[in-house]
Amino acid sequence: MVETNAAESNAVPPPLAGLSLLVVDDHADSADSLAILLKLWGHRPLVAYDFATALKTAEIEPLDAVILDLALPGKSGCEIAGDLRKLDGWKRTPLVALTGFGDRSHRTQAREAGFDFFLVKPVEPDSLRTLLDKLLRTARLSGRMVQLADRHSTAATETATLADDAREFARKLQEAASIEG
């Protein structure tokens, strides 16, 4: 788990295509305010006010990260994090705990539940933006790596085809040489 710090801020250009984020908080004003801020920064936030909506959204929407309050009625943010980690494709999706509880026990619980980052309310906007910029850079690098892997795979397939063609041509040359000789 990484704790963000405003002093870590690097000069990062604003996102060209922001992150797809799920904000989960039972306090509608907090969730909606955060979503507005995220939109202003160029991200694409979705909002859920309860665990059922959060899980349903996670099952149908591809998301780059989830910002999740720990103190939710009915099911804690730590329990939801555990549920998310069980879904296909969610093992590596960044989970950000955003909570009013900043003591060591809550940080430990969050880490053990599968959270990658821990922020304390009221969150410092620079800290949140720095974290999201790092997540965006990571998502872009990951996407670029997938593109390069696809190109490498295509090149390997083309190379194998050329090698097969060369072997066939060599075989035909040997046949022709043995017929003439």
Side-chain angles (χ1 to χ4, degrees), residues 58-87:
E59 289 173 341
I60 59 173
E61 289 287 331
L63 299 165
D64 296 313
V66 177
I67 301 172
L68 180 57
D69 186 17
L70 293 184
L72 296 168
K75 197 167 207 177
S76 76
C78 288
E79 291 171 308
I80 295 171
D83 291 344
L84 288 173
R85 289 294 187 220
K86 293 175 189 170
L87 296 175

Side-chain angles (χ1 to χ4, degrees), residues 22 48 50-61 63 84 87:
L22 176 59
D50 58 71
F51 70 90
T53 305
L55 290 177
K56 182 181 280 188
T57 302
E59 289 173 341
I60 59 173
E61 289 287 331
L63 299 165
L84 288 173
L87 296 175

Side-chain angles (χ1 to χ4, degrees), residues 21-111:
L21 302 166
L22 176 59
V23 175
V24 185
D25 195 324
D26 60 315
H27 295 285
D29 290 342
S30 296
D32 294 340
S33 297
L34 181 55
I36 290 168
L37 180 63
L38 295 170
K39 283 181 187 178
L40 289 172
W41 288 344
H43 300 292
R44 299 174 318 278
L46 299 170
V47 176
Y49 307 115
D50 58 71
F51 70 90
T53 305
L55 290 177
K56 182 181 280 188
T57 302
E59 289 173 341
I60 59 173
E61 289 287 331
L63 299 165
D64 296 313
V66 177
I67 301 172
L68 180 57
D69 186 17
L70 293 184
L72 296 168
K75 197 167 207 177
S76 76
C78 288
E79 291 171 308
I80 295 171
D83 291 344
L84 288 173
R85 289 294 187 220
K86 293 175 189 170
L87 296 175
D88 285 339
W90 279 84
K91 298 267 187 261
R92 297 179 189 251
T93 301
L95 300 180
V96 180
L98 181 58
T99 181
F101 304 110
D103 60 59
R104 180 171 288 189
S105 68
H106 286 95
R107 292 172 192 271
T108 300
Q109 280 181 316
R111 185 181 325 103

